Amino acid sequence: MNVSYVRGGFIAFAAVASLTVAGCGGGGADPKTDKPAVATTSAPRTSGSPQQSEAVEEPVEPLVVAKGQDGFELAISSAERDAGGFLTVKGTLKNTAEKGRAVPDAVRGDETEVLKHGTSLGGATLVDGLAKKRYYVLRDTDGRPLATTGLSILSAGKTLDVFMQFPAPPASTTEVSFQLPTFEPATLKLS
């Protein structure tokens, strides 16, 4: 076998392969570091100058803080509708007690499907008093709540980022009562 023929075929194959990869947007090197480029996605920048490096996140002032049993507090930082017809509530669960405590099982509610999946925030509801409607945490096809799951012991003074997703109330609803078993009700302004 002729070595130059094999070498030439390999070089041609390598050239075609590199053009194919480059055409897919997955190849090339970063001109600044001469290292292979890595595909990433990011949210569009809404403000700031191009020279600005990543900003440090400022603490978000909670919309409301609901107090629960045994020193637990839930600071809700956002309640936002999205284009898909959902409302996502995000916040921080904190143990303000002087010792570690288990998150109460009651926060998962009492629905049979949710109970199968362990301690979660699946028992949360939103109540629209004017429309006289109650919205429950959404479930997936297996009955798992679309909320923070796997809750257990939270050490003294520690926090845990949490979320719950609900069907979005109509745009005319600007305020709901957030209810979570073992926590006091809290009024939420919706955005």
Side-chain angles (χ1 to χ4, degrees), residues 62-127:
L63 301 174
V64 67
V65 176
K67 297 200 182 290
Q69 293 177 349
D70 297 328
F72 284 103
E73 289 182 353
L74 178 61
I76 297 175
S77 57
S78 68
E80 297 179 357
R81 292 179 174 93
D82 67 23
F86 304 111
L87 177 97
T88 303
V89 174
K90 294 180 182 177
T92 305
L93 183 64
K94 182 175 184 177
N95 178 3
T96 63
E98 294 181 11
K99 63 179 183 174
R101 297 208 181 267
V103 175
D105 284 339
V107 297
R108 66 184 173 180
D110 58 6
E111 291 183 40
T112 305
E113 284 298 310
V114 175
L115 292 174
K116 294 178 190 176
H117 301 288
T119 304
S120 70
L121 297 180
T125 58
L126 300 176
V127 177

Side-chain angles (χ1 to χ4, degrees), residues 10-33:
F10 177 75
I11 291 172
F13 171 76
V16 170
S18 68
L19 286 174
T20 302
V21 170
C24 293
D30 183 344
K32 295 176 189 167
T33 62

Side-chain angles (χ1 to χ4, degrees), residues 1-185:
M1 181 186 293
N2 186 344
V3 175
S4 64
Y5 176 76
V6 173
R7 189 178 306 148
F10 177 75
I11 291 172
F13 171 76
V16 170
S18 68
L19 286 174
T20 302
V21 170
C24 293
D30 183 344
K32 295 176 189 167
T33 62
D34 200 30
K35 292 183 180 176
V38 177
T40 60
T41 59
S42 62
R45 192 177 284 214
T46 56
S47 64
S49 64
Q51 295 91 0
Q52 207 173 24
S53 63
E54 298 232 2
V56 174
E57 283 190 32
E58 301 263 337
V60 176
E61 187 68 30
L63 301 174
V64 67
V65 176
K67 297 200 182 290
Q69 293 177 349
D70 297 328
F72 284 103
E73 289 182 353
L74 178 61
I76 297 175
S77 57
S78 68
E80 297 179 357
R81 292 179 174 93
D82 67 23
F86 304 111
L87 177 97
T88 303
V89 174
K90 294 180 182 177
T92 305
L93 183 64
K94 182 175 184 177
N95 178 3
T96 63
E98 294 181 11
K99 63 179 183 174
R101 297 208 181 267
V103 175
D105 284 339
V107 297
R108 66 184 173 180
D110 58 6
E111 291 183 40
T112 305
E113 284 298 310
V114 175
L115 292 174
K116 294 178 190 176
H117 301 288
T119 304
S120 70
L121 297 180
T125 58
L126 300 176
V127 177
D128 180 349
L130 295 177
K132 299 188 184 330
K133 290 188 176 182
R134 181 181 300 256
Y135 298 91
Y136 293 89
V137 168
L138 292 167
R139 310 320 188 230
D140 69 11
T141 55
D142 293 325
R144 283 187 293 271
L146 298 183
T148 303
T149 60
L151 301 174
S152 60
I153 295 174
L154 198 57
S155 300
K158 296 296 182 183
T159 61
L160 176 69
D161 291 334
V162 296
F163 83 98
M164 293 142 280
Q165 196 166 45
F166 302 88
S172 59
T173 301
T174 58
E175 191 175 277
V176 292
S177 174
F178 171 83
Q179 297 178 0
L180 180 66
T182 75
F183 284 78
E184 61 189 18

